[in-house]
């Protein structure tokens, strides 16, 4: 039998944490002057969210901050990754910041510090102020400049109180999934717009880094990508797999870490490619103190799009821990990559309490365990990986799926807002405190 994982298996400076994002947990959508975000708008459009829900209440975290912080402390983790809702800071995306918004996140950060927990802040986890979307959202180059200004405001207030600041969460989702595939807000179906959005997201990232660097903060500065290694089913699928890898991974990695777009994908996109102005790529490749990697599954490329019947999670995503190890090793081999944090990894399963009120989620434990072992293997292969954040602290609003998918270590009963540790939370607690 394989012995259970313990802290001692990991490097001494390795951080165990949990992650959330503002729109998915906060609620309090219309309080203290918070502006409308594109997700508020999107949720109101019929058919966008599979269960017809929205983020108005979510986990009511905005009103339960203190008890949620206590819960994180009880979990025994060293770190918490959260995001700031831009519309709480600047309701329309520009102009004077709202004190109530800054004060909320300052209470959050101070509350973590008081409990001995590191704060890892993400500036943009998709809740763009609607007022900026009305001017084209990320397809408007000006949004990148507004983002840098917002970053400066938040970093000025909190940048010496947090361990790290990430500019963006998953620019692939904020561009391709949102402006081309149309599954996320604002729900467009336009490839050129999506590539323009991706370009301005990366530009905004670079501009924000420059603004924050100038403040000489204590925080480590970086960004977060969702990456999925690509595997060809047969040798005949190699070219297609390479292109899929280019679209999903290299389109974001290469500008950030090499200061260039991948030429093969650039050629393949044809007339849809973005308008790159002089100096843009230099701005995008500003030095990163860390790269955040979100990993859920791999991409498996077959000529006809068919997939073998693998073990999948409730999202239909294949469970493939080896992909995480392969991905990390590849980042080390192909790039001059900074230290890495696994900023998200986890699985949805249709959990529910049994007659005793216990929530048994052995599949989630197996998922987390196997992926942590993959991280260890990568570390043993020489990858500098500094920490791991389980997605997610608690069940929450899973975007287009509403509340129908449960990713939490902690179960949320949405009718009472009661939180209950699932078995996976107890398992993670035992690991983090071992
Ligand atoms: C990631 C998102 C996160 C959550 C997980 C399941 O793409 O960053 O908010 O939805 O997927």
């Amino acid at each position: 039998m394989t012995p259970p994982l313990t802290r001692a298996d990991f490097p001494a400076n390795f951080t165990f944490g949990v992650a959330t994002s503002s729109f998915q947990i906060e609620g309090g959508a219309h309080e203290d002057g918070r502006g409308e975000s594109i997700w508020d708008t999107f949720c109101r459009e019929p058919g966008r969210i599979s269960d017809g829900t929205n983020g108005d209440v979510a986990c009511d975290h905005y009103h339960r901050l203190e008890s949620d912080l206590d819960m994180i402390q009880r979990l025994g983790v060293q770190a918490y990754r959260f995001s700031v809702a831009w519309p709480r800071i600047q309701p329309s995306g520009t102009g004077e910041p709202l004190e109530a918004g800054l004060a909320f996140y300052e209470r959050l950060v101070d509350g973590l510090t008081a409990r001995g927990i590191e704060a890892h802040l993400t500036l943009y986890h998709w809740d763009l102020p609607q007022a900026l979307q009305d001017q084209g959202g990320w397809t408007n180059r000006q949004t990148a400049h507004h983002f840098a200004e917002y970053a400066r405001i938040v970093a000025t207030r909190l940048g010496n109180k947090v361990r790290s600041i990430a500019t963006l969460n998953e620019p692939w989702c904020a561009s391709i999934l949102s402006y081309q595939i149309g599954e996320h807000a604002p729900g467009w179906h336009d490839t050129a717009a999506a590539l323009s959005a991706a370009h301005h997201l990366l530009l905004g990232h670079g501009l924000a880094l420059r603004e924050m660097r100038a403040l000489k903060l204590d925080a480590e500065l970086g960004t977060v990508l969702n990456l999925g290694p690509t595997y060809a089913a047969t040798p005949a699928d190699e070219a297609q797999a390479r292109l899929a890898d280019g679209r999903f991974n290299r389109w974001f990695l290469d500008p950030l870490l090499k200061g260039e777009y991948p030429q093969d994908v650039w050629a393949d996109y044809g007339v849809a490619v973005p308008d790159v102005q002089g100096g843009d790529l230099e701005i995008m490749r500003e030095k990163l103190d860390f790269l955040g990697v979100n990993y859920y599954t791999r991409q498996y490329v077959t000529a006809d799009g068919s997939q073998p019947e693998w073990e999948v999670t409730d999202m239909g995503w294949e469970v493939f821990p080896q992909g995480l190890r392969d991905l990390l090793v590849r980042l080390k081999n192909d790039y001059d990559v900074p230290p890495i944090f696994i900023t998200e990894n986890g699985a949805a399963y249709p959990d529910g309490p049994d007659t005793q009120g216990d929530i048994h989620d052995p599949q989630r434990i197996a998922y987390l365990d196997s992926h942590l072992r993959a991280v260890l293997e990568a570390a043993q292969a020489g990858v500098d990986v500094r920490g791991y954040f389980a997605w997610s602290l608690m069940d929450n609003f899973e975007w287009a799926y509403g509340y129908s998918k449960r990713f939490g270590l902690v179960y949320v009963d949405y009718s009472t807002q009661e939180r209950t540790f699932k078995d996976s939370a107890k398992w993670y607690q035992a690991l983090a405190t071992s």
Side-chain angles (χ1 to χ4, degrees):
M1 232 189 82
T2 335
L5 283 173
T6 70
R7 270 209 66 91
D9 296 320
F10 292 82
N13 62 353
F14 195 87
T15 304
F16 286 92
V18 285
T20 63
S21 86
S22 48
F23 191 82
Q24 294 179 275
I25 66 165
E26 283 180 0
H30 308 291
E31 276 165 69
D32 295 333
R34 173 186 172 287
E36 290 275 290
S37 83
I38 55 175
W39 274 92
D40 297 305
T41 310
F42 197 64
C43 290
R44 280 196 295 268
E45 295 174 10
R48 295 295 200 183
I49 311 300
S50 68
D51 62 1
T53 57
N54 58 51
D56 286 359
V57 177
C59 303
D60 198 31
H61 172 72
Y62 193 68
H63 300 117
R64 292 166 196 264
L65 179 62
E66 293 298 324
S67 52
D68 282 344
L69 292 175
D70 289 342
M71 179 171 80
I72 299 169
Q73 185 178 34
R74 209 150 34 87
L75 201 50
V77 293
Q78 289 96 58
Y80 177 54
R81 172 175 180 245
F82 64 97
S83 78
V84 173
W86 188 348
R88 282 197 199 284
I89 309 298
Q90 293 174 296
S92 55
T94 61
E96 284 305 303
L98 275 185
E99 175 54 28
L102 287 168
F104 172 74
Y105 294 106
E106 188 160 49
R107 267 196 290 138
L108 197 171
V109 167
D110 288 344
L112 289 170
T113 308
R115 290 167 178 81
I117 302 162
E118 288 173 8
H120 292 253
L121 185 156
T122 299
L123 286 165
Y124 185 72
H125 201 126
W126 311 346
D127 36 5
L128 186 75
Q130 178 62 39
L132 295 184
Q133 190 63 50
D134 295 341
Q135 296 157 41
W138 289 105
T139 67
N140 184 339
R141 190 177 169 93
Q142 204 51 39
T143 299
H145 293 279
H146 294 317
F147 178 67
E149 168 67 4
Y150 155 68
R152 193 185 55 75
I153 292 168
V154 174
T156 300
R157 182 70 168 256
L158 300 175
N160 289 324
K161 294 184 168 205
V162 298
R163 161 120 188 242
S164 81
I165 300 180
T167 53
L168 307 174
N169 180 70
E170 304 190 348
W172 181 88
C173 289
S175 56
I176 306 297
L177 191 61
S178 302
Y179 288 84
Q180 180 186 21
I181 300 172
E183 191 179 311
H184 279 188
W188 293 12
H189 294 276
D190 180 338
T191 303
L195 296 177
S196 160
H199 187 73
H200 296 142
L201 278 154
L202 295 181
L203 182 67
H205 152 80
L207 292 169
L209 274 190
R210 284 190 175 178
E211 287 288 341
M212 294 194 288
R213 282 284 176 225
L215 298 173
K216 306 215 181 311
L217 306 166
D218 295 336
E220 299 163 35
L221 305 178
T223 199
V224 174
L225 298 180
N226 54 314
L227 299 172
T230 305
Y231 300 78
T234 71
D237 303 313
E238 288 290 354
Q240 211 38 49
R242 172 96 188 133
L243 185 60
D245 171 67
R247 290 182 169 180
F248 197 74
N249 302 310
R250 290 181 287 122
W251 195 257
F252 298 89
L253 283 166
D254 287 14
L256 289 173
L257 298 173
K258 294 182 168 171
E260 64 192 29
Y261 277 110
Q263 283 312 309
D264 56 333
V265 191
W266 184 273
D268 185 73
Y269 271 133
V271 295
V273 295
D275 175 23
V276 179
Q277 300 190 11
D280 284 3
L281 287 156
E282 269 312 304
I283 295 169
M284 292 177 184
R285 73 179 305 186
E286 275 292 309
K287 178 179 170 288
L288 300 172
D289 298 326
F290 70 92
L291 176 68
V293 171
N294 294 355
Y295 175 81
Y296 289 92
T297 191
R298 67 165 161 178
Q299 305 188 76
Y300 186 76
V301 177
T302 52
D304 60 0
S306 66
Q307 306 255 317
E309 291 210 0
W310 285 305
E311 183 193 346
V312 296
T313 68
D314 197 30
M315 298 296 284
W317 299 344
E318 183 198 358
V319 178
F320 192 68
Q322 185 203 319
L324 179 52
R325 187 202 59 200
D326 291 352
L327 168 67
L328 293 172
V329 170
R330 181 252 181 124
L331 287 173
K332 171 174 177 283
N333 291 340
D334 290 4
Y335 296 93
D336 185 11
V337 74
I340 292 171
F341 283 94
I342 308 304
T343 33
E344 287 181 28
N345 175 242
Y349 290 105
D351 312 301
D354 67 10
T355 50
Q356 319 295 312
D358 293 328
I359 298 131
H360 301 301
D361 57 345
Q363 292 170 301
R364 181 172 294 102
I365 294 174
Y367 182 99
L368 298 173
D369 184 81
S370 60
H371 286 76
L372 275 162
R373 288 178 194 276
V375 172
L376 257 186
E377 285 177 35
Q380 280 151 7
V383 181
D384 184 0
V385 44
R386 302 271 172 100
Y388 174 96
F389 292 81
W391 184 270
S392 177
L393 165 65
M394 57 183 155
D395 296 334
N396 58 49
F397 178 79
E398 179 48 36
W399 309 113
Y401 296 89
Y403 298 95
S404 70
K405 303 292 177 193
R406 294 182 177 272
F407 273 92
L409 300 183
V410 175
Y411 182 85
V412 177
D413 177 338
Y414 294 109
S415 64
T416 60
Q417 290 295 343
E418 196 189 339
R419 281 95 159 112
T420 309
F421 276 26
K422 301 178 190 176
D423 285 354
S424 59
K426 298 174 192 168
W427 176 87
Y428 198 56
Q429 179 184 45
L431 170 62
T433 58
S434 63

